[in-house]
Amino acid sequence: MATDARAIYVTALRNTHAMEQQGLQQMEIQVSRLERYPDYAALLNRHIETTRQQLQRLEQSLQAAGESAPTVKEAVTAAAGTVGATVHGMFQDETLKNLYAGYAYQYEQIGAYRSLIAIAETAGETAHVAAFRQSVQEEEQAAQEVAGLIEPVTRRYVELTTSGDKADR
């Protein structure tokens, strides 16, 4: 049985929603551990708000397609996000590992949204393409902001670690 383009579009919407939900949970856990990295915490707080807006857009797209937000897949990916953030928290260099993962994750999201746009256009589901393009721009901006923090956060981490202070707690 062949799958039609609309079914692929709905699956892509669900997957993107689950990915954003997982990212939101990871950021919410991480931001609580960044009291010694105020610039990094501020960036995450801004992106948490952006992610909530992106989730609303995806939910509107799902509703327009006659679907509801995913539940089972989201529960699994949310649990994975919590586990990932917790595992990184067990290591001394948690802040750096989360920074690297966050940088890479921005590009994963850019790819997912660009793919979603192509799927939507192929399926003739173009009503929300502008919103998806906005999400691409937001993720590209976030990637640039994270890139700009890599060196300053790394220097701060080394400073705190070599002074005998606990860098990540």
Side-chain angles (χ1 to χ4, degrees):
M1 174 183 218
T3 301
D4 67 2
R6 185 181 181 289
I8 295 170
Y9 171 67
V10 169
T11 298
L13 278 173
R14 289 179 180 277
N15 289 342
T16 305
H17 190 275
M19 176 190 64
E20 288 290 8
Q21 192 65 44
Q22 177 185 2
L24 178 62
Q25 282 201 317
Q26 287 181 328
M27 287 185 293
E28 288 174 341
I29 291 168
Q30 291 169 15
V31 77
S32 67
R33 298 179 181 149
L34 294 174
E35 64 275 351
R36 298 186 187 216
Y37 302 89
D39 292 342
Y40 187 13
L43 181 146
L44 280 184
N45 280 319
R46 285 191 308 275
H47 201 58
I48 285 169
E49 290 309 310
T50 299
T51 300
R52 288 184 178 137
Q53 293 168 5
Q54 292 169 340
L55 282 165
Q56 287 177 343
R57 285 184 227 140
L58 289 164
E59 289 163 7
Q60 290 169 353
S61 300
L62 281 163
Q63 288 173 352
E67 303 289 328
S68 60
T71 54
V72 173
K73 184 178 278 187
E74 277 202 358
V76 171
T77 56
T82 301
V83 169
T86 302
V87 167
H88 280 187
M90 298 167 69
F91 298 101
Q92 178 184 6
D93 56 351
E94 166 193 8
T95 298
L96 297 181
K97 285 185 178 1
N98 286 337
L99 183 64
Y100 311 151
Y103 183 63
Y105 194 65
Q106 295 308 313
Y107 286 98
E108 180 180 2
Q109 291 175 308
I110 291 165
Y113 277 110
R114 291 180 65 190
S115 181
L116 180 59
I117 291 165
I119 292 167
E121 290 172 344
T122 302
E125 298 282 346
T126 58
H128 295 96
V129 166
F132 305 149
R133 289 189 197 287
Q134 180 179 350
S135 294
V136 169
Q137 291 173 346
E138 291 164 349
E139 298 299 347
E140 288 173 341
Q141 177 64 37
Q144 289 176 348
E145 290 176 0
V146 174
L149 283 179
I150 293 172
E151 288 84 0
V153 168
T154 301
R155 286 186 181 96
R156 177 74 174 143
Y157 170 80
V158 171
E159 175 187 308
L160 290 169
T161 302
T162 58
S163 70
D165 206 346
K166 292 199 176 225
D168 294 315
R169 301 284 177 222

